Amino acid sequence: MNSSRPYLVRALYEWIVDNDCTPHLLVDADFAGVQVPPGFASDGQIVLNVSPGAVRHLHMDNEAVSFEGRFGGVAHSLYIPSAAVMAIYARENGQGMVFDLEPPVPDDEDGDGPDDQGPPDGEPPRPSGRPSLKVVK
């Protein structure tokens, strides 16, 4: 199953902007593939203002968030893989969502993964882990 993170980031971004607030992304700057301006990250993290007035060419899809922004008056192109987004929130009130780290999803192109036949002997399927829902205030 695809990660829900990019879908939630897009939805929360729209919700924050619709409520006239400023969306910010908290990003793991050390995550593989992240392209942010050097020297602006702190403790391996960077907070990015992604409001419509602060960025150009914002593009959010299931793989990444990309845009152009200015840092210290210099234009930079940024690329943030979806898995590197740690949180999205409104600057004005902190409303948003923090994401758990997701384990990498292996590619199952060769068909060596489990089959879709279900459990033997007609047993109902059981969840493999605990739910990971969070309360957002």
Side-chain angles (χ1 to χ4, degrees), residues 26-71:
L26 175 63
V27 175
D28 179 354
D30 295 331
F31 192 89
V34 169
Q35 296 174 2
V36 295
F40 288 92
S42 175
D43 296 326
Q45 300 177 350
I46 187 169
V47 176
L48 303 169
N49 176 350
V50 289
S51 66
V55 301
R56 291 175 24 139
H57 308 296
L58 178 65
H59 180 73
M60 295 179 170
D61 60 25
N62 291 350
E63 284 73 45
V65 176
S66 60
F67 58 91
E68 294 176 10
R70 298 184 77 78
F71 291 80

Side-chain angles (χ1 to χ4, degrees), residues 69-123:
R70 298 184 77 78
F71 291 80
V74 179
H76 292 273
S77 292
L78 288 83
Y79 183 86
I80 297 102
S82 294
V85 176
M86 299 169 67
I88 181 169
Y89 62 93
R91 179 185 68 202
E92 292 78 3
N93 58 21
Q95 297 244 342
M97 183 176 283
V98 176
F99 299 101
D100 287 333
L101 292 176
E102 291 182 352
V105 178
D107 291 335
D108 192 23
E109 295 177 5
D110 54 2
D112 289 338
D115 58 13
D116 291 332
Q117 294 178 359
D121 301 327
E123 293 178 20

